[in-house]
Structures are given as structure tokens and as C-alpha cells.
Amino acid sequence: MACIFCKIIAGEIPAHKVYQDDAVVAFLDISQTTKGHTLIVPRRHVKTVYDLSAKEASQIFGVVPELANALRRAFSPIGLNVLNNNERPLQSVDHVHVHMIPRYEDDRLKIGMPDHHDALRTQDYEDIKQKILDALS
Ligand code: AMP
Ligand code: ZN
């Protein structure tokens, strides 16, 4: 078994686990990008969100509110980012995971979201919408 998160789930390598149930495990991210940075993973080895069943997705995201509230009680952050990276170069561990990243004043973490709305017309939004609707059907 090559996957590092599968090894953590199986207890073959150490991790600081904060939550476990039949389907999901959560443990501290080794990088601690910010204090309390936690990963939520399915027990089953699934590479990306593209491969998740709806049930697995609901099991993973079902843990988010409880963990979010625990992180807020524990560390009193000013906010929280819930983040998921899929495929390289965004994703570095090929076992799907949700990052829970408490945010603090002066944490120097930048998650930028450029605003392009000034450059778009209503028709552009319609075209984008139609492409998604076509892909969904
Ligand atoms: P991503 O880039 O979204 O795939 O994130 C992978 C995350 O896994 C990174 O934030 C790493 O710090 C974290 N990570 C890698 N190895 C370990 C480990 N052994 N224990 C805990 N977290 C890890
Ligand atoms: Zn795995």
C-alpha cells in the first residue's frame, strides 16, 4: 500500500487523529499551515472528488460542521477556510481530502479569488451556464 493517508488510516504510520467513524477519519495536517489545520478523509482510497460517490461525499462533508465548531471553540479563529484540491499540480496526496484551515489575524495565508465580473456580459454568464447544463445532462 503506497498511499500515505491509507497508512495513517490503517495505523501503520503515526498521525494525530481527532475524529473517526466507520467511513471517515480526520487528523492534523503535518504542515499546520495555521494552528488546527485538519484533514478529513474517507477510509476508502478514493483519489479525487471526481471518483467519490454521493454517499461518500456526504459522509466526508457531514463531519465539517462538527469539526468547524470544535476548531472555533478550541482556537477562536477569525474565520475558517474549507478547501479541497483535486489533481496535480493542485493535489499532492492522491487520496481525496478536505482541508479545514482556521484563519487568524496576520496568518499571512493568501487564498486569492480574482473578481472578473467587470469583464463579463450577461451573455458570457449564459454561455457558461449552458455549458454546465449540457455537461450535467
Ligand atoms: P494537497 O496538496 O491538497 O494534496 O494536501 C496534502 C496535505 O497532506 C498537505 O497539506 C500535507 O501537509 C499533508 N500531509 C502530507 N503527509 C502528511 C502526513 N504524514 N500526515 C499529515 N498530513 C500530511
Ligand atoms: Zn489512500
Side-chain angles (χ1 to χ4, degrees):
M1 190 198 322
C3 173
I4 195 158
F5 288 176
C6 282
K7 288 180 179 162
I8 287 173
I9 292 161
E12 292 171 8
I13 63 170
H16 301 277
K17 293 176 183 168
V18 296
Y19 179 89
Q20 300 189 62
D21 64 28
D22 288 349
V24 175
V25 177
F27 51 89
L28 296 187
D29 190 297
I30 200 166
S31 72
Q32 287 298 285
T33 290
T34 65
K35 187 169 61 183
H37 180 187
T38 299
L39 301 175
I40 307 172
V41 305
R43 284 187 182 275
R44 188 169 83 92
H45 180 85
V46 177
K47 189 172 174 187
T48 67
V49 284
Y50 304 114
D51 311 307
L52 278 174
S53 68
K55 184 179 176 191
E56 285 169 323
S58 71
Q59 287 168 322
I60 294 165
F61 281 88
V63 177
V64 167
E66 186 179 353
L67 207 42
N69 279 291
L71 289 168
R72 187 161 65 170
R73 279 193 295 273
F75 303 118
S76 303
I78 60 166
L80 174 78
N81 288 122
V82 178
L83 183 70
N84 160 246
N85 295 318
N86 297 283
E87 298 193 295
R88 292 182 199 283
L90 304 180
Q91 182 177 9
S92 63
V93 176
D94 291 335
H95 183 132
V96 68
H97 48 280
V98 171
H99 292 265
M100 303 284 287
I101 306 176
R103 300 301 303 271
Y104 305 96
E105 295 279 6
D106 304 322
D107 63 23
R108 296 187 301 163
L109 178 58
K110 287 208 174 356
I111 300 178
M113 297 190 39
D115 182 351
H116 300 298
H117 88 271
D118 281 346
L120 296 171
R121 297 159 295 139
T122 301
Q123 190 57 47
D124 296 319
Y125 291 94
E126 279 299 311
D127 292 346
I128 294 166
K129 180 188 85 176
Q130 197 54 50
K131 281 206 161 83
I132 296 170
L133 291 180
D134 291 347
L136 279 170
S137 63

